[in-house]
Amino acid sequence: MKKAMIIINPSSGKEQAMELLPEAERVLQTFHDEVLVCETKKEGDAAAFAKNACEQHYDTVLSMGGDGTVNEAVNGLAEQEHRPHFGIIPLGTVNDFARALQIPLDAQEALKILPYKNLRKADIGKVNNQYFMNVLAVGAIAEASYNVSTDQKTKLGPLAYFVEGIKALATKTPFSLKISHNGGTWEGNAYLLVAAMTNSVGGFEKLAPQAEVDDGRLHVYIFKNISLPGTLNLFPKLFKGELQEHSDVTYIQSSSLAVSSSETMAVNIDGDEGEPLPFTASVLSRHLSVFVPPNENEKV
């Protein structure tokens, strides 16, 4: 008897989530005997629901919401003895994990890929005792993302984070940073650290163009100097996927990191404020099986 669980954030997508729910149930019922709907009401609900799905040996968990809902669901699935197949119906502003997996950003289209049962293995990251799918960041520009309002995200989409980041440049200060990685240690002053799991960070799909969802690596960018003129020079390289070639950027690939600073800093985990430094991070390689679009020859 096959069982599926839908974890739905009712406030996602301008309440589009609840409008799509009947169709999501119908689609899952085509290849499951039982479909349970779990509606989130507070922080932590999605993680608890997903963990329960593991313990009850569900076959599928479907997240209907934004990156925050996906992140929580992943935290419930991670390192469990039984991990259901994971589906994503993207209803947020950015939807980085969906972008990286080439899941349609149109929710109706994302539902259509599920019956093909085409799965791809995906890495997830572990930072201290939390899990993440997309990015870790440290620095004032990373912290600026907390100032992005719902209204800004609705009007500007991913550019809302860029606008707040530019504002943060006015009060930026460098901070000391020590990074231990597979190839050694980097130590110095920096303005921003970004460690990406996927090619899509904040909606920019070429920040780490060489990053694959199953490559077992963190793609680390250390921004050693960020002035406003320098930033204007950085952005053409960002859009071309050439950040690692900039003289003010150090690029590292590693399956694990240990990051510390002499200053009081917190790590941004998938866009939300995490624990203070120091932190250790590692990659759980090919840890989840995620529904992705079928190959062309598999389509009906």
Side-chain angles (χ1 to χ4, degrees), residues 2-82:
K2 289 191 171 292
K3 299 188 294 182
M5 176 185 288
I6 297 174
I7 299 174
I8 185 167
N9 181 345
S11 62
S12 288
K14 300 179 184 176
E15 301 180 358
Q16 184 188 9
M18 298 310 290
E19 295 173 10
L20 284 167
L21 181 58
E23 178 64 9
E25 290 182 89
R26 187 197 66 76
V27 169
L28 287 177
Q29 284 164 355
T30 63
F31 60 106
H32 295 85
D33 302 295
E34 179 183 319
V35 178
L36 175 67
V37 176
C38 296
E39 187 177 322
T40 63
K41 292 182 170 60
K42 61 183 186 304
E43 186 177 348
D45 279 354
F49 294 147
K51 184 178 180 182
N52 184 58
C54 296
E55 293 167 348
Q56 299 298 317
H57 285 257
Y58 273 72
D59 299 277
T60 298
V61 166
L62 181 68
S63 170
M64 296 184 66
D67 283 331
T69 307
V70 173
N71 177 281
E72 276 204 26
V74 166
N75 270 267
L77 297 172
E79 297 196 283
Q80 298 297 318
E81 186 175 341
H82 169 77

Side-chain angles (χ1 to χ4, degrees), residues 9 21 33 57 73 76 103 131 135 147-148 154 166 183 203 210 221 255 260 271 275 290 300:
N9 181 345
L21 181 58
D33 302 295
H57 285 257
I103 294 168
Y131 303 91
V135 66
N147 298 323
V148 176
T154 301
I166 290 294
Q210 61 276 65
Y221 296 85
S255 62
S260 61
E275 299 175 6
V290 187
V300 176

